[in-house]
């Protein structure tokens, strides 16, 4: 039941269409005032009357029905109370019928969304700086799918650039196949860091690196063999982490995939007169738009990050015909995206408006910002493993008889890491702290998972809900119903704002109202009718929390 729509239709004001009227209806901050309210000052201009008069007139003409049980005019607001019993009947039967689909929708049917996320750099450690893009992007994929969209998850691998030349030099000088097979990504990081240390003393190493990079580009067999080995090792390593985080991709087309797709772009830019030569480099001048120029070709003719992104956007449009293409990338790259989106627009692609940079805040360490070169990084794998270990310890302390401790610890540990990264508005900067991720107190994932386990244990002990009729609802019961009823809207709003944290906050809120209900209303009571209603509430909370966590990539556990 869409109450806003229902009310707007019933009000039926000639000069205001229903969608507009619907958009004016609010949920008042204080439920005492009502469940919905129409601030009538929004209609003053059109209706040429005072808000107070409008509210009174509208109230006089409003007929209550099975959904709306009260309508009052107060200080220029028209307040509505919903019929709580019909809301409860409707919401509970919807959740219990739709189960794992509760909250889903078909609004995205026939639409395609490309989501570029995680987009790691080959041969670099997967550190906590990559956590946000990975979990925000993955959650957005799941959210859009839940809403009926066709989703293409893309890992735009950073697999192009002189750093690969550096690695080849470093490999030849200080490593071996055996050492790389043994030490994997750690070995690659070690020699990469060493290269930078050595190159400070001996700059000719940089020239050598450039030469090897050129060899990769020119298709030299030995160099490409090494490059592919580095790529393979990186992907195998990160794949372990992706599995833990329930993350997957439909495409791994990275930067080097566009090597042969940039020439036509550069050609078109030239034809359209968009290229200027500046100090030998080819640029698109964006001064008119208040931005520095977008670099397309260096003076030696080599392409740049932006060149590859423009080619990638063209390729994605042609291949997937997306309605939107999202880039989940830290806000540090704001300018890059603004620039290349503008270039695509100047090339005459009207769909440039469908390219969206979903920016998020930075992660830094208490000891400063992270840098692979200096070795100041916290590896994601270490964080996840430590959290799982801690979860294991906590479980052993609190509930030593639990059946599948390993599985539970894994779900709780990884859940804590994902939830922690999705808890706040995505644009906020975070200073990473082990203590915080490892804390199971307060507004955390273990709290939500624990609530699901509690629902589960109630259903196991007291039984599955059967027939009930609702004649009254305690305040705590109604709070659960009302929170349950909002889930669908929350999911849609998370998709519109590209903000998975709305679902995280919602899961905490629903857990909160459920736990209050659990404390204050005895579920295993003598009154069969009340018992079954409470079991239906419990089961609905379990379903909805599970759906919410799954959208974030978090598993629930049976017991905890
Ligand atoms: N690999 C890049 C980095 O780590 C992010 C790539 C984002 N995606 C893109 N299409 N530019 O900074």
């Amino acid at each position: 039941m869409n109450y806003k729509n229902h009310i707007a239709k019933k009000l039926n004001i000639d000069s205001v269409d229903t969608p507009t009227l619907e958009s004016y209806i609010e949920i008042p901050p204080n439920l005492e005032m009502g469940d919905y309210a129409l601030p009538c000052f929004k209609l003053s201009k059109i209706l040429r009357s005072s808000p107070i008069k409008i509210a009174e007139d509208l109230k006089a003409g409003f007929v209550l029905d099975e959904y709306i049980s009260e309508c009052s005019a107060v200080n220029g607001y028209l307040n509505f109370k919903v019929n709580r019993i019909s809301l409860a009947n409707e919401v509970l039967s919807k959740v219990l019928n739709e189960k794992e689909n509760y909250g889903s929708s078909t609004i995205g049917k026939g639409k395609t969304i490309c989501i570029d996320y995680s987009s790691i750099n080959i041969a670099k450690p997967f550190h906590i700086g990559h956590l946000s893009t990975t979990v925000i992007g993955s959650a957005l994929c799941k959210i859009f799918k839940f809403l009926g969209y066709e989703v293409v998850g893309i890992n735009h691998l950073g697999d192009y650039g002189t750093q690969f030349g550096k690695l080849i030099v470093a490999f030849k000088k200080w490593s071996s196949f055996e050492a790389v097979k043994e030490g994997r990504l750690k070995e690659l990081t070690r020699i990469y860091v060493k290269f930078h240390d050595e190159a400070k003393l001996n700059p000719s190493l940089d020239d050598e690196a450039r030469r090897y990079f050129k060899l990769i580009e020119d298709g030299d067999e030995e160099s490409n063999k090494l490059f592919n080995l580095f790529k393979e090792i990186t992907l195998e390593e990160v794949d372990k982490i992706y599995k833990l985080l329930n993350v997957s991709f439909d495409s791994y087309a990275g930067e080097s995939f566009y090597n042969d797709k940039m020439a036509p772009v550069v050609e078109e830019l030239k034809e359209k007169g968009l290229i200027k030569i500046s100090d030998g480099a080819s640029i698109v001048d964006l001064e008119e738009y208040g931005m520095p120029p977008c670099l397309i070709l260096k003076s030696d003719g080599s392409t740049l990050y932006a060149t590859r992104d423009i080619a990638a956007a063209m390729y994605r449009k042609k291949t997937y015909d997306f309605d939107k293409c999202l880039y989940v990338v830290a806000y540090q790259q704001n300018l890059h995206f603004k620039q290349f989106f503008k270039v695509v627009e100047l090339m005459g692609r009207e769909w440039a408006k469908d390219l969206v940079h979903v920016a998020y805040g930075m992660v830094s360490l208490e000891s400063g910002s992270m840098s692979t070169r200096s070795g100041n990084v916290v590896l994601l794998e270490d964080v996840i493993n430590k959290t799982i270990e801690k979860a294991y310890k906590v479980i052993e302390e609190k509930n030593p008889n639990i059946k599948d401790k390993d599985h539970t610890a894994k779900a709780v540990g990884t859940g804590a890491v994902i939830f922690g990264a999705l808890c706040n508005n995505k644009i906020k900067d975070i200073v990473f702290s082990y203590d915080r991720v490892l804390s199971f107190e307060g507004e955390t994932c273990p709290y939500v998972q624990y609530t699901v386990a509690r629902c589960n244990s109630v259903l196991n002990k007291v039984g599955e809900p059967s027939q009930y009729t609702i004649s009254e609802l305690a305040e705590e019961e109604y709070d659960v119903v009302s929170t349950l009823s909002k889930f669908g809207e929350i999911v849609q709003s998370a998709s519109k704002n590209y903000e998975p944290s709305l679902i995280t906050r919602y899961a905490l809120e629903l857990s909160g109202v459920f736990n209050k209900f659990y404390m204050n209303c005895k579920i295993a009571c003598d009154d069969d009718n009340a018992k079954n209603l409470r079991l239906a509430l419990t089961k609905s909370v379990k379903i909805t929390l599970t759906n919410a966590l799954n959208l974030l990539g978090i598993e629930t556990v049976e017991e905890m």
Side-chain angles (χ1 to χ4, degrees):
M1 176 74 192
N2 181 341
Y3 282 87
K4 289 185 183 173
N5 180 269
H6 179 72
I7 295 169
K9 271 197 198 135
K10 280 184 69 113
L11 284 170
N12 190 20
I13 304 173
D14 278 346
S15 40
V16 190
D17 61 55
T18 309
T20 309
L21 196 54
E22 191 181 329
S23 73
Y24 291 164
I25 298 174
E26 303 171 343
I27 298 183
N30 180 351
L31 283 184
E32 303 275 284
M33 293 154 72
D35 299 301
Y36 293 94
L38 175 68
C40 295
F41 68 86
K42 296 205 170 172
L43 299 168
S44 288
K45 245 197 185 148
I46 315 170
L47 300 181
R48 293 163 198 259
S49 179
S50 78
I52 295 185
K53 174 95 177 41
I54 296 172
E56 273 160 10
D57 289 350
L58 288 175
K59 182 199 157 357
F62 193 87
V63 185
L64 300 177
D65 61 15
E66 55 173 317
Y67 298 110
I68 304 296
S69 62
E70 238 182 272
C71 170
S72 55
V74 183
N75 298 331
Y77 278 78
L78 194 60
N79 295 337
F80 302 92
K81 281 206 169 150
V82 307
N83 180 334
R84 296 183 165 196
I85 291 175
S86 54
L87 175 67
N89 277 321
E90 186 180 305
V91 171
L92 293 180
S93 69
K94 197 167 155 75
V95 184
L96 297 174
N97 278 325
E98 295 183 3
K99 299 189 185 71
E100 67 275 14
N101 293 321
Y102 178 62
S104 70
S105 136
T106 52
I107 50 167
K109 203 165 170 240
K111 294 199 186 109
T112 299
I113 304 242
C114 290
I115 307 186
D116 176 325
Y117 71 106
S118 201
S119 299
I120 51 149
N121 298 323
I122 294 300
K124 291 217 182 148
F126 199 1
H127 59 68
I128 49 152
H130 302 115
L131 179 60
S132 303
T133 170
T134 306
V135 296
I136 294 172
S138 163
L140 290 176
C141 286
K142 294 180 207 291
I143 292 167
F144 278 104
K145 271 187 203 148
F146 201 53
L147 296 175
Y149 292 84
E150 188 70 47
V151 175
V152 188
I154 304 171
N155 198 331
H156 185 76
L157 298 175
D159 57 2
Y160 179 94
T162 39
Q163 73 265 31
F164 299 104
K166 293 179 186 172
L167 267 174
I168 293 181
V169 174
F171 174 84
K172 290 185 164 242
K173 288 198 186 309
W174 306 301
S175 190
S176 64
F177 284 104
E178 292 71 43
V180 166
K181 283 204 173 109
E182 178 68 30
R184 328 273 308 161
L185 213 40
K186 289 211 166 100
E187 172 68 0
L188 295 183
T189 311
R190 181 188 74 80
I191 61 175
Y192 187 69
V193 171
K194 187 162 171 68
F195 180 94
H196 282 274
D197 291 343
E198 299 279 334
K200 270 186 222 138
L201 310 170
N202 178 6
S204 73
L205 285 174
D206 281 319
D207 298 328
E208 216 177 316
R210 270 191 285 277
R211 210 164 43 87
Y212 272 108
F213 175 55
K214 183 98 184 26
L215 283 174
I216 301 178
E217 281 199 292
D218 294 345
D220 170 66
E221 198 176 320
E222 192 212 359
S223 309
N224 272 290
K225 199 174 135 202
L226 285 173
F227 170 64
N228 286 328
L229 173 71
F230 301 154
K231 193 161 164 173
E232 219 172 88
I233 287 179
T234 314
L235 288 179
E236 275 169 21
E237 288 298 298
V238 296
D239 207 45
K240 285 191 228 156
I241 298 167
Y242 287 148
K243 283 217 172 75
L244 276 175
L245 298 174
N246 296 311
V247 168
S248 61
F249 298 91
D250 303 291
S251 159
Y252 279 90
E255 294 191 33
S256 70
F257 178 77
Y258 300 99
N259 280 350
D260 61 354
K261 298 174 182 63
M262 286 177 285
V265 170
V266 177
E267 212 36 55
E268 184 182 335
L269 283 167
K270 281 187 190 148
E271 262 166 34
K272 294 197 162 143
L274 290 163
I275 293 279
K276 265 194 192 165
I277 304 296
S278 162
D279 287 337
S282 305
I283 60 158
V284 176
D285 187 352
L286 297 173
E287 201 180 340
E288 206 180 308
Y289 310 100
M291 288 185 265
C294 183
L295 261 68
I296 303 294
L297 296 176
K298 285 192 211 159
S299 53
D300 65 3
S302 57
T303 58
L304 288 118
Y305 184 45
T307 328
R308 286 183 289 283
D309 256 330
I310 297 167
M314 304 282 174
Y315 174 84
R316 289 173 191 174
K317 184 67 190 175
K318 193 177 86 208
T319 311
Y320 307 112
D321 192 24
F322 58 72
D323 292 89
K324 282 234 164 7
C325 180
L326 314 184
Y327 298 83
V328 186
V329 184
Y331 67 67
Q332 273 169 317
Q333 295 192 26
N334 275 357
L335 179 62
H336 163 73
F337 285 101
K338 268 209 203 135
Q339 288 177 312
F340 102 72
F341 291 175
K342 193 61 173 183
V343 174
V344 175
E345 183 193 318
L346 292 174
M347 290 172 84
R349 304 300 195 276
E350 56 78 32
W351 49 264
K353 65 176 187 346
D354 304 321
L355 304 173
V356 183
H357 177 203
V358 178
Y360 62 84
M362 294 288 304
V363 183
S364 56
L365 302 179
E366 281 151 324
S367 58
S369 63
M370 272 179 292
S371 137
T372 309
R373 284 183 203 183
S374 67
N376 186 29
V377 293
V378 173
L379 297 181
L380 198 48
E381 195 179 356
D382 294 345
V383 174
I384 298 175
N385 287 339
K386 272 199 192 176
T387 320
I388 294 176
E389 249 170 63
K390 154 112 184 210
Y392 198 93
K393 278 198 201 114
V394 174
I395 292 165
E396 277 205 314
E397 264 166 43
K398 292 201 170 152
N399 194 351
N401 298 325
I402 223 164
K403 269 182 236 118
D404 193 349
K405 266 185 222 159
D406 283 329
H407 176 82
T408 309
K410 211 181 103 195
V412 173
T414 50
V417 175
I418 300 175
F419 199 89
L422 294 177
C423 218
N424 293 312
N425 192 305
K426 64 182 181 298
I427 203 71
K428 264 173 99 176
D429 287 333
I430 335 182
V431 177
F432 177 83
S433 118
Y434 258 117
D435 288 345
R436 214 189 24 250
V437 176
L438 294 178
S439 153
F440 286 0
E441 307 297 323
E443 301 197 316
T444 61
C445 193
Y447 171 64
V448 179
Q449 283 168 319
Y450 180 72
T451 306
V452 178
R454 172 174 268 175
C455 292
N456 213 32
S457 119
V458 169
L459 294 165
N460 282 338
K461 280 192 201 126
V462 187
E464 288 287 312
S466 63
Q467 288 300 330
Y468 57 87
T469 45
I470 311 176
S471 50
E472 56 176 351
L473 283 168
E475 211 50 43
E476 292 87 354
E477 291 171 325
Y478 177 69
D479 285 346
V480 173
V481 167
S482 150
T483 310
L484 285 170
S485 76
K486 285 190 274 181
F487 183 52
E489 253 180 72
I490 296 282
V491 178
Q492 295 195 20
S493 153
S495 78
K496 281 191 199 114
N497 298 294
Y498 312 118
E499 189 62 88
S501 69
L502 292 175
I503 295 180
T504 325
R505 309 306 307 177
Y506 173 81
L508 290 168
E509 186 189 333
L510 183 56
S511 302
V513 293
F514 174 79
N515 286 314
K516 212 162 131 210
F517 153 77
Y518 178 85
M519 295 302 171
N520 293 315
C521 307
K522 187 165 188 244
I523 298 177
C525 59
D526 296 334
D527 176 348
D528 250 3
N529 199 53
K531 182 177 86 182
N532 279 313
L533 166 63
R534 289 173 187 171
L535 286 171
L537 284 166
T538 306
K539 186 157 186 179
S540 299
V541 169
K542 178 185 163 177
I543 291 171
T544 309
L545 283 181
T546 305
N547 292 358
L549 289 181
N550 286 344
L551 287 177
L552 306 171
I554 299 171
E555 277 177 68
T556 54
V557 291
E558 293 285 300
E559 43 175 3
M560 211 175 134

